[in-house]
Amino acid sequence: SRAQAMEVTESPDVEYADIGGIDEQIREVREAVEDPLENPEQFETVGVEPPSGVLLHGPPGTGKTMLAKAVANESDATFIKMAGSELVRKFIGEGSRLVRDLFELAAEREPAVIFIDEIDAVASKRTDSKTSGDAEVQRTMMQLLSEMDGFDERGEIRIIAATNRFDMLDEAILRPGRFDRLIEVPEPDAEGRERILEIHTQEMNVADDVDVSEVATDLEGYSGADIASVATEAGMFAIRDGRTEVVQSDFERAREKLKDVEGADDQVIH
Ligand code: ATP
């Protein structure tokens, strides 16, 4: 049913300040999503159409979902999330039905931000119509495109999609009037990692001599999601040792522990 396939939140509890290391991407998303929702008359006066759809692309765990939630929250819009994989695991006709429901629900709850995660599941160029399953996926994608073609860019519904597999996308979805604003969300650099670590240790009782910058330097190759796990794990080590403060070596142990997970991750063929 609708309720199972979609996640609807009136005001997601994510703010721009919770997102580290991607300030430029936050600026771009605000311009494409928040500004048209809050100042539609400005676009009208200047005579430009806001982007139809925003596509966030980049590696897993870099903050794409957070960014979509934050912009919905900060624009006072309802956040409606649907996973691309939900759209393909259905009976014949059900994918396009869900797409129609998605836009209908957004119209009922506007202002709204529609977020389609894993858009590649329905919009991959590998899909060809030779097999019936693929034909069904194709129909779902056509339905999505027709919904997008049909809606008013100056209206109260904004659409954001995300993917970890940009190279696999069918170009049809990137044409003007569709997902025509591409925003890359990269893995964080050293400064970004430090900021993310600060955010995730904000509420923790961290010893004064912990060098966050040094910890961040050592976390090269770790995504935002990985860094969040390192912070939590470090806290767990302190608890296990019966300490009330998290010390530098807790972070090192946490990093070591999660490094193995990292290594395993790299083996996965995407
Ligand atoms: P995926 O592609 O796997 O869906 P994503 O890019 O959407 O990943 P999020 O779901 O936004 O990533 O991030 C997962 C979690 O990782 C967040 O809830 C947060 O705790 C942490 N995180 C990721 N990126 C950042 C960031 N830039 N700043 C702060 N925390 C982050």
Side-chain angles (χ1 to χ4, degrees), residues 13 30 57-58 65 70 76 83 92 109 126 161 163 194 214 242 256-257:
D13 58 352
R30 294 186 71 168
H57 63 99
T65 304
D76 291 317
I92 302 284
R109 301 288 193 94
R126 271 203 215 148
T163 183
E194 184 174 341
E214 191 189 311
E256 278 306 310
K257 180 172 173 187

Side-chain angles (χ1 to χ4, degrees), residues 73-203:
N73 179 29
E74 307 233 15
S75 326
D76 291 317
T78 308
F79 178 74
I80 306 174
K81 177 181 160 175
M82 163 93 76
S85 55
E86 286 283 343
L87 292 171
V88 298
R89 245 187 263 139
K90 303 289 164 190
F91 298 109
I92 302 284
E94 223 181 324
S96 20
R97 169 84 255 168
L98 277 171
V99 170
R100 275 199 303 275
D101 285 352
L102 183 64
F103 282 81
E104 240 174 65
L105 182 66
E108 285 164 18
R109 301 288 193 94
E110 64 180 25
V113 170
I114 294 176
F115 179 59
I116 305 177
D117 201 4
E118 312 163 43
I119 185 82
D120 46 275
V122 279
S124 162
K125 65 184 158 204
R126 271 203 215 148
T127 307
D128 60 45
S129 36
K130 286 195 200 87
T131 62
S132 63
D134 281 354
E136 176 58 12
V137 173
Q138 198 76 24
R139 265 195 294 278
T140 304
M141 178 172 106
M142 295 317 279
Q143 183 64 36
L144 174 63
L145 295 183
S146 98
E147 294 284 352
M148 290 185 76
D149 290 344
F151 86 37
D152 176 10
E153 273 85 25
R154 288 178 186 152
E156 299 240 74
I157 301 172
R158 312 300 304 156
I159 171 159
I160 304 176
T163 183
N164 305 327
R165 305 167 181 188
F166 182 66
D167 56 316
M168 281 177 55
L169 291 186
D170 190 326
E171 280 99 47
I173 75 154
L174 307 177
R175 290 201 195 115
R178 293 166 175 180
F179 293 98
D180 47 11
R181 179 61 60 92
L182 307 182
I183 302 176
E184 186 181 1
V185 184
E187 218 157 63
D189 60 12
E191 201 186 319
R193 295 197 299 274
E194 184 174 341
R195 184 69 205 115
I196 295 169
L197 193 59
E198 272 166 11
I199 290 169
H200 286 280
T201 52
Q202 219 158 243
E203 309 281 306

